[in-house]
Structure formats: structure tokens, C-alpha cells
Amino acid sequence: MTSQFHTPLLHHRYGMIWAFGWNGCHSATWPHLLWMLWMWLGPGSWAHQGTQPHSIKIEGDITLGGLFPVHSKGPPGIPCGEIKKEKGIHRMEAMLYALDQINSDPDLLPNMTLGARILDTCSRDTYALEQSLTFVQALIQKDTSDIRCSNGEPPIIRKPERVVGVIGASASSVSIMVANVLRLFAIPQISYASTAPELSDNNRYDYFSRVVPPDSYQAQAMVDIVKAMGWNYVSTLASEGNYGESGVDAFIQISREAGGLCIAQSLKIPREPKPGEFDKIIKRLMETSNARGVIIFANEDDIKRVLEAAKKANLTGHFLFVGSDSWGAKSSPILDQEDVAEGAVTILPKRASIEGFDQYFTTRSLENNRRNIWFAEFWEDDFRCKLTRPGIKLDSDKKKCTGEERISRDSQYEQEGKVQFVIDAVYAMAHALHNMHIDLCPGAMGVCDKMDPVDGRMLLNYIRAVNFNGSAGTGVLFNENGDAPGRYDIFQYQLSNTTMPGYKVIGQWTNHLRLNVEEMQWSGGDRQIPDSVCSFPCNPGERKKMVKGVPCCWHCELCDGYQYQMDEFNCEMCPFDMRPTENRTGCRPTPIIKLEWSSPWAVIPVFIAVVGILATSSVVITFIRFNDTPIVRASGRELSYVLLTGIFLIYLITFLMIAEPGPVVCAFRRLLLGLGMCISYSAMLTKTNRIYRIFEQGKKSVTPPKFISPTSQLVITFILISVQVLGVFIWFGVVPPHTIIDYEELRPPNPELARGILKCDMSDLSLISCLSYSIVLMVTCTVYAIKSRGVPETFNEAKPIGFTMYTTCIVWLAFVPIFFGTAQSTEKMYIQTTTLTVSMSLSASVSLGMLYMPKVYVIIFHPEQNVQKRKRSFKAVVQAATMSTRLSQKSNDKQNGETKFEPDRTQ
């Protein structure tokens, strides 16, 4: 005999869930498996009790899941209680009705049928969670390697149907529990009744959508109504309990987030009010009499007694009520209190009764509705009869069901309020699948390979993108959080100036408010909206400073500094590139400045640079003209031209530092700022190093040192220069040159004096970094100059180079405190630019003056000295230099009273 087993087996030893469906194993294997199931679920788990059926299965090409509270919550130990006719059967039949309509529609999902797997949640979140695991069976990896039938054969695994989306659940607690599982398997979910605000969290419930608006929308609509009427000081009144308290809490929360609306008092009506309780409530409301607006979330009886108490206190026309949907357009709360209720604004969700469903449901019978496995139970409860079953004795106190009973004819019937939303949820899923099929399977008949299986994330995107007219003719769509738009009608109770006193529609709310203010009227027929405020508006440029302990009462304070009046309550800082207007109601652009050529801070550096460029050009021209004369040749022509090029670039940087910043100017600033000094000091370092090496080598050997030829010297110089150039080009790659406007540098307390400075994107640190390599070369050159100071000046340029480096170091040591010491000055830009350019020009002038002006003077004014002297060998030069050094040492020793003799090692 073959048995069947279809119960989810859950194994979580390693955090995995396994679900199996066996068909073909002998029953000898099952006790072990059932024992594992029981051990996992525990004694408190919900198994199917008695004859409770498991689910409804409708065959189709694509299967949808359904979760409905067919039964109420059972007593302790039993998951399911009595059947729920309206919220259970009506809603579940609405899904079946929608599936029939879709499957018979040739334009929606043509050549495809929608099937369903519908489960009963029994109005319990934990039971619903266990049931919903049925939906993920096809998505869970199955390991059956260690499972064998009693005959040793592997089991025949029945492949469970794949559920692509779930319709439900009803209660928010159930939807929250189920959504946490479905999101793990990327199964989209559309609820028809869950309204908890927390389900709007798209980070936690990203696969959850709903066709009903969340509860927060009603409170939002009421906040919008209050603000549209210009009120900013209201009280709230709530009946004790979840509805009233949560409604007021949502209103208060949203009003705080929106700003500009304050709560004078928040009062609660007890469940069992004592005599005189409502008189006390009216008295307390009058403690803040300026807060005439009263937001009321209360039941009908409490609303009626509040109105009676207001009338008793002779306050007719004082309070301006804004009521929730519990007041709506009902006449019972205002009966005999119409004059007190005049002007009350109320809200009511848009709903519609689906005529097609009424026709469908009232024709259901035991014969034509066998697919609904719970329909017989509904039939017994609806007609208060008992169906006969083989072997079961009929209770004597209950009549026998004939099967000829008819819904609505033999029993009371009124369509349940969420039927419209169930149908819309199923159609939303169908439209999403339809659009997905058009995109992925163009022209294909039925489900193509790209939709087998259906990708959950992609389907979710299609669900969020649907936009169609629902069963009631209203649009069905979702926002980014999966919420449907809130749709409410807004009423006002009008008594005067009308032929038909009563509730009049004055607007609608669908994610935003549409209020016809001109159609509103108040006590006595007044068209002017009454005030509900504590303090009057402040003057332009002043903000409202709230009085501590008195909500929405304020003092007016002027916005100061760089602040402007953002709204009634806040002064905000202007954006960094702006300053406040004169009346401080807005911001205006901050004027932009730069260093002008006509500025005294620019004239002096430019003058020095022009003189320096002319002097450098004169030296270059002189050297070129007398290129083959002894003085030019002795000075090292090649390195001299390189050094003069560096000096020329140092003078040239002055013009780039003063020119109007732009990408090209900024690029050349980066390149030339350190390049001129780098070229100059690289050439001088190469010269001093060459001299030092020659005479150090001469002390040891008559063999000349390596790399002292002009070509070698040029190569060494250009290698040193290339380091600077490479660094600059790396800088170009990392941060391309561009301009910025610095608004922080010149931002005094008085915003009228604020200015933005147009500059290149070079901070003080990057500027020093750009010069740092040149400073290293300068210091190194100074060290070599000091080491070579004892060499006779008849043989080299060491001493002029040394004096040049000493003077340059003094110039730059003076530059550092001036440059960084003015960082907080309002004239920082001018002082630092002038200091930098003058320091660079002075260092170039020192080099030019000490190294080349004497040579030019001799060449031009004493040409007789510019003649070829007797050429000496390297050995003779070294011997002469060594002898000169020894004579100098002996002279020093004699001055100290000592005489020291050494043999001549050069012979």
C-alpha cells in the first residue's frame, strides 16, 4: 500500500530549511521523519487539527499564493477557531473571483492561466508562518542522499509547484511575519488589508506591497487639512484604545515632522467615563482657548457626548472639530447636536462595492463551489444548519442543511469592505506578469524559458510599476515603498445657508490634499476660516522662538550673521557661496574678487619681475653674443644657459600668480612654480658638486673624477629636473588643475563685507609641497658650497655660488613666517601672493646678480680681461689647489703658535 506525505520538514541545524514531498516510500520510513518534524516544531507548534483542510489548489500555468484568515484564532493549544465569514470567506472568494475574471480575459495574460495555492492563516502570525513555508518549497535545495524507502530504493520526489507571488495577508502582524520569510526567497507579496505603518520600511520589507493605504495616511490627511486652513495650534482628543490612541499618536508624529503645527493639549477619553468626565474635558480644552481646532479620534458615542458637553458649556461655535473616519459622514454622532457640530470637517476612506462580486458570490452553492474546501463550513455557519456526513450523528438542536439555501435570500449578506482590495491585489499581480511576459516573451504563446522560473526581483519591479484602473474604477499603483495611495473623501457638516443641511464633500485626499476652501462655511454661515493660533506672525527676517512649556507660542528674534529666515520657525545659514539679503528673507550671491593688475599688491611684484626679465634677457643676449669668449666658456656655457632659463621662469611665475585663474593658468602655475627654482638649483648643485668632487678626488689621485664633462653635467641636471616635472604630471593626473572660489577666506562677521576669492585649487600645503623639492636642492647646494668654500676662487665659482645660496636661504627663511603668519588676515590673498612672488624674484635676482652680473660687467666694460690664459692640465690644477690649501692651513697654524710640516704628496 502506498501512502502520501505532504508536510514541510524543517531542519535548522545549520541554519538551512529543508522541505520534502514524498510519494513512493513505504510507511516504515515515516515515523522517523515525523519524529524529526515534531522535535523541530516542538510541543507548541500548530499541526492541522481534526479535519481542518490544508489548502486550496487551483491548477494553472503560473501559481499565486494566497493567505486569508478563513478561521479565527483558536483557544490555547488549538491554532484555529471558528470560521470567519466576511473577513475570511468573502475575501478568499474575492481572490477566486478575480482569478476567474483574469483567466477568462483574452487581453490579460492570453494563452496562460493563473493558478493558486490558498492557505488559511487562522488569524495567527506563527501559524501563518508555518503555512507559508509551502510557498518556498520549490525554492529550497533538497538533499535526499541519506533517505531511502524500506526496500532500499531512493524516494520518488514529487516536485512542488513554484509560487511566484503571494496575495496577503490580512492582519499586519501576519504580513510582517510572512514577509520576513518571503523576502529571503525573493517572492513578492501584495497585501489587501495590512495597514501598519512599519510595513512601509522598504529596507526591511522590500518585497512587500499593498493596495490599501497605511494608517499614517489618514493622520497625514488630517494634518494637511489643518495646515491648509492656516491653523498651527490645535488640541487632540482620543477614545482610549488602539484606534483612538494610535490615530492621535500618528497625527502628533506627522505634525512634528511636518513642522509648523503644535499640539496645545492631548486628552484621552476613558473607556468607562465617570459622570461629569466630558464636562472636565471641555473645561481643560478651554485652558488653551486659542487652540480652537480639535482633532478627534473617537467612537460615535464619545463624539456625541463631547458635543453635548460643549453645548452645555455654552460654547456652541467655539470649537472647530476635525474628525477621523469613525465620525465620517454618520448622522448618529451629531443627532440633536447639529448646531455644535456645524463646521466640523470629517474624513472617510473611498470605498466601493463590487457589483460583479455580489452576483458571483450570491450564486455560490455547495454544488458549484467544490473548489473552496472551506465552503461547506461557511454554509453551515451562514444558514445555521448542519450538513450530514456518513458516520456522524446530527445534533438534535440544529436543522439539517438541504443544499437549496441561497446566500442573500436565506441569510444576511453585505459585501465585506476589503473585497475591492483583494481583487485589485490579484489584478496587480496579473498586470505585472502580463507586462513581464510582453517584455521577456514577445510573441510567445504561454510561458517562455525566460519566465520559467519567474525572477522574483524582476517581478517586484514590474509590480511597483503597474498603473491601471482597479475594480472600483480608481487607479491602482504603488510608491517606492510599495504603498498604495491614500484615497479619502473630505466632508464638512454645513447647517446654514443651504437648502439641505448635512455633510457636503469639500475635497479629496490622494497622497496630497485637494480642498475647496471656497465651499467651506462655519458657524452662522461665515465663510472666513476661523483662527486657531497662539501668536501672530513675525516680521520679515525674524524667526519664531518657542516659549518653553507653551507649544506654538513664540517670541520673534532677528536672524543674525549669515543666517536668513528659512521659515516661520527657523533661521538657516546661507549656502557657503551666498550671503543674506538686506531684509534677511533670502540669500544673494557673494561678490567674487581676484587680484587685479592695478592693485598695489600686484604692481610691486610685477615691476620687480619685469626688471628681472629684462636683466636676465640682457645676460642671455650677452652670453650668446660672446659665446666663445674665455669668460663665457669658463663659466660653463651649457649649465649657465640652463640656470638662466630657470631664473627667467622664476620671474615669469609672477605674471601667472597675478593673472586671472583658469584651467590653463592653474596648470602653468603648478608646472612653473617649482620648475624655475628646480632648474636653477639643479644647475648650481651640479656645479658645486662637480667642483667638490674634482678637488676631493685631487687629494687622493691625479685621475679626474667621473661625470665632469659638460654633457655629463647636463644629463645630471636634467635628471634632477625630471623629478620635479614627473611629480607635477602625477599631480595633474591625480587632481586635474581647476579653479575654485574660496568663500571662507574672506568671511568677516558682517556679511556685507563677505567676498569670494577666485583662485586655483592649490592649498598652502600643496604650494609648499610644490616648492619643497627645490628647497631640498637649495639646501643641498648650500651644503656643497660650504664644503667647497676653501677652494681658491681662481679655479671655480664655488664662493659666488656659496654667497648666492646663503643669501637665498635668508630670503626664504624670512618668507616662511610672513607667508604663514598672515593666514588669518583679511588681506591674506594679497599678502601671500606678493610675499611669494617677491621672495622668488629676490632669490632669482641674487643668483643673477652674484653669478652673472660680474661676468657681464667684465665682458662689456673690461674686454681686455676676457682673454685666454695659459691652459693647464688637471694635474697642475689639482697641485696648485692643494698647495694653496696647505699654505692656508700653515698660515692658520702659525697664527695659533704652531708650525706643522708635511711632505708634499703630489710630487
Side-chain angles (χ1 to χ4, degrees), residues 350-536:
K350 281 182 176 292
R351 286 185 181 179
S353 181
I354 309 303
E355 185 179 348
F357 177 78
D358 288 340
Q359 296 173 357
Y360 162 81
F361 191 70
T362 55
T363 59
R364 298 300 89 192
S365 68
L366 294 171
E367 294 299 323
N368 63 14
N369 200 21
R370 294 181 181 275
R371 63 183 179 179
N372 185 348
I373 57 179
W374 296 290
F375 196 69
E377 189 179 355
F378 162 80
W379 194 270
E380 290 180 330
D381 186 79
D382 194 42
F383 296 108
R384 302 179 185 275
C385 63
K386 194 69 176 177
L387 291 169
T388 58
R389 295 183 180 86
I392 298 178
K393 187 178 180 181
L394 185 67
D395 293 341
S396 58
D397 58 339
K398 284 193 177 181
K399 66 177 181 179
K400 178 182 177 182
C401 298
T402 64
E404 299 300 323
E405 299 89 353
R406 288 295 174 262
I407 300 171
S408 182
R409 187 192 70 185
D410 301 316
S411 64
Q412 272 193 327
Y413 168 75
E414 183 180 354
Q415 187 180 120
E416 200 275 331
K418 293 294 193 297
V419 163
Q420 165 197 343
F421 301 113
V422 175
I423 297 171
D424 288 345
V426 179
Y427 266 88
M429 193 73 75
H431 278 282
L433 289 166
H434 181 81
N435 296 335
M436 189 179 187
H437 184 267
I438 290 175
D439 292 343
L440 299 183
C441 313
M445 303 290 285
V447 179
C448 67
D449 292 339
K450 291 184 178 180
M451 286 185 64
D452 188 14
V454 173
D455 182 85
R457 169 56 68 176
M458 187 181 296
L459 178 57
L460 175 67
N461 294 333
Y462 279 98
I463 290 173
R464 295 288 172 85
V466 298
N467 190 343
F468 63 95
N469 287 330
S471 55
T474 55
V476 176
L477 64 157
F478 303 97
N479 64 11
E480 65 277 5
N481 296 322
D483 292 330
R487 296 187 179 94
Y488 300 95
D489 284 325
I490 301 167
F491 300 87
Q492 186 183 41
Y493 185 74
Q494 298 180 356
L495 193 61
S496 306
N497 301 331
T498 178
T499 56
M500 294 182 63
Y503 294 98
K504 181 179 180 180
V505 177
I506 57 169
Q508 295 178 333
W509 193 93
T510 306
N511 284 337
H512 63 276
L513 179 66
R514 294 193 298 274
L515 189 65
N516 300 319
V517 179
E518 63 277 2
E519 295 184 9
M520 301 178 73
Q521 65 178 30
W522 307 89
S523 181
D526 188 10
R527 295 282 183 179
Q528 182 69 32
I529 298 177
D531 291 327
S532 184
V533 298
C534 180
S535 300
F536 290 100

Side-chain angles (χ1 to χ4, degrees), residues 667-806:
F668 277 105
R669 277 191 193 181
R670 287 192 192 180
L671 181 63
L672 300 183
L673 183 62
L675 185 61
M677 293 178 62
C678 176
I679 292 173
S680 300
Y681 297 135
S682 295
M684 283 192 277
L685 175 60
T686 304
K687 278 191 174 187
T688 53
N689 176 265
R690 174 177 178 270
I691 294 168
Y692 175 76
R693 288 190 297 114
I694 287 174
F695 289 100
E696 282 298 309
Q697 178 75 12
K699 294 177 184 179
K700 303 173 185 178
S701 169
V702 296
T703 305
K706 296 180 180 180
F707 309 119
I708 61 173
S709 66
T711 303
S712 300
Q713 297 296 291
L714 285 176
V715 170
I716 293 172
T717 301
F718 284 118
I719 289 174
L720 293 174
I721 295 170
S722 66
V723 175
Q724 173 78 17
V725 175
L726 180 62
V728 171
F729 277 99
I730 292 175
W731 189 8
F732 282 160
V734 175
V735 183
H738 61 282
T739 60
I740 60 169
I741 301 176
D742 189 349
Y743 293 96
E744 297 297 329
E745 187 172 314
L746 199 54
R747 195 176 176 87
N750 184 359
E752 293 299 316
L753 302 178
R755 299 292 184 270
I757 300 174
L758 179 64
K759 58 167 65 173
C760 290
D761 185 23
M762 292 178 64
S763 63
D764 294 347
L765 180 62
S766 62
L767 187 146
I768 296 302
S769 299
C770 191
L771 297 174
S772 59
Y773 180 64
S774 300
I775 293 173
V776 170
L777 294 175
M778 179 181 70
V779 171
T780 308
C781 186
T782 304
V783 171
Y784 275 110
I786 292 172
K787 287 185 176 183
S788 304
R789 66 186 184 280
V791 177
E793 62 182 28
T794 54
F795 299 124
N796 59 79
E797 294 180 302
K799 289 185 178 180
I801 291 176
F803 288 133
T804 298
M805 300 317 302
Y806 308 151

Side-chain angles (χ1 to χ4, degrees), residues 205-412:
Y205 307 105
D206 45 343
Y207 281 85
F208 178 84
S209 306
R210 52 184 162 189
V211 291
V212 288
D215 289 335
S216 56
Y217 282 7
Q218 181 176 192
Q220 178 69 64
M222 297 174 78
V223 169
D224 291 347
I225 291 169
V226 169
K227 298 190 77 174
M229 292 188 292
W231 299 347
N232 62 10
Y233 194 45
V234 298
S235 296
T236 63
L237 189 56
S239 291
E240 188 176 7
N242 183 67
Y243 172 78
E245 293 178 44
S246 63
V248 165
D249 288 344
F251 180 88
I252 293 174
Q253 178 66 26
I254 294 171
S255 66
R256 285 175 180 168
E257 293 173 356
L261 179 60
C262 300
I263 310 301
Q265 295 190 74
S266 187
L267 306 180
K268 190 185 299 181
I269 303 170
R271 292 183 189 273
E272 298 180 3
K274 299 176 182 178
E277 188 73 41
F278 289 91
D279 295 332
K280 291 179 182 179
I281 289 173
I282 294 299
K283 187 176 180 180
R284 286 196 59 188
L285 289 174
M286 285 304 295
E287 291 175 2
T288 52
S289 58
N290 283 355
R292 297 177 63 188
V294 178
I295 311 303
I296 183 165
F297 281 83
N299 57 52
E300 296 178 33
D301 186 57
D302 286 346
I303 294 170
K304 184 177 180 65
R305 297 175 71 178
V306 167
L307 296 177
E308 288 174 350
K311 187 174 183 178
K312 181 179 177 182
N314 198 27
L315 292 172
T316 299
H318 177 79
F319 292 112
L320 312 168
F321 295 100
V322 178
S324 64
D325 59 350
S326 61
W327 186 335
K330 298 172 184 175
S331 58
S332 56
I334 63 171
L335 187 63
D336 300 326
Q337 311 297 331
E338 290 83 356
D339 52 345
V340 185
E342 184 176 11
V345 177
T346 61
I347 188 171
L348 190 64
K350 281 182 176 292
R351 286 185 181 179
S353 181
I354 309 303
E355 185 179 348
F357 177 78
D358 288 340
Q359 296 173 357
Y360 162 81
F361 191 70
T362 55
T363 59
R364 298 300 89 192
S365 68
L366 294 171
E367 294 299 323
N368 63 14
N369 200 21
R370 294 181 181 275
R371 63 183 179 179
N372 185 348
I373 57 179
W374 296 290
F375 196 69
E377 189 179 355
F378 162 80
W379 194 270
E380 290 180 330
D381 186 79
D382 194 42
F383 296 108
R384 302 179 185 275
C385 63
K386 194 69 176 177
L387 291 169
T388 58
R389 295 183 180 86
I392 298 178
K393 187 178 180 181
L394 185 67
D395 293 341
S396 58
D397 58 339
K398 284 193 177 181
K399 66 177 181 179
K400 178 182 177 182
C401 298
T402 64
E404 299 300 323
E405 299 89 353
R406 288 295 174 262
I407 300 171
S408 182
R409 187 192 70 185
D410 301 316
S411 64
Q412 272 193 327

